[in-house]
Structures are given as C-alpha cells and as structure tokens.
Amino acid sequence: MTANRRFRNVIRIGPVQVGTPYDGHGREKHTAACTAPRCGFSTDYDSRAAAELAARTHRCPVR
C-alpha cells in the first residue's frame, strides 16, 4: 500500500525535489527525493534546511 501524501512548498534543486508533507502522526516532515531514473534517493528530515542541504549535495550514483 502506498502512502498518500500531500506535498506543499515543493521546489526542485537539480534532479532532487524537496517537499513538505505531514507524517502519519500529524507532524510536519520534509522530504528530499531524486527524480533521476534508477537513482532511488529519498529521505525524510525534521527540518527544511536539512532536506535542502541533502538536495544540494546529492550526487546520483547512476549516470
């Protein structure tokens, strides 16, 4: 079963998108996910700054 998340404040930094959803407990989370094919990078952070830093420093292992 997939998670039904509503993202807001979505920005794109290179191939990585950063968005803000609420988790299952109603807490605000910040997600960074790479949109490159076969990359698979996706992480949740507690702060927006951490998610944006991860997006800026992400390097795809697949080229």
Side-chain angles (χ1 to χ4, degrees):
M1 186 169 157
T2 61
N4 185 11
R5 295 185 180 173
R6 291 197 173 163
F7 289 92
R8 56 188 171 84
N9 296 336
V10 177
I11 63 168
R12 187 176 186 99
I13 301 172
V16 181
Q17 286 187 336
V18 177
T20 304
Y22 288 101
D23 68 358
H25 300 286
R27 294 177 299 229
E28 189 175 69
K29 292 291 183 179
H30 306 279
T31 302
C34 186
T35 59
R38 299 182 319 237
C39 179
F41 170 76
S42 175
T43 54
D44 289 335
Y45 295 95
D46 291 331
S47 71
R48 179 76 179 201
E52 289 184 11
L53 178 65
R56 291 182 204 290
T57 59
H58 172 68
R59 299 289 177 256
C60 291
V62 180
R63 292 278 173 176

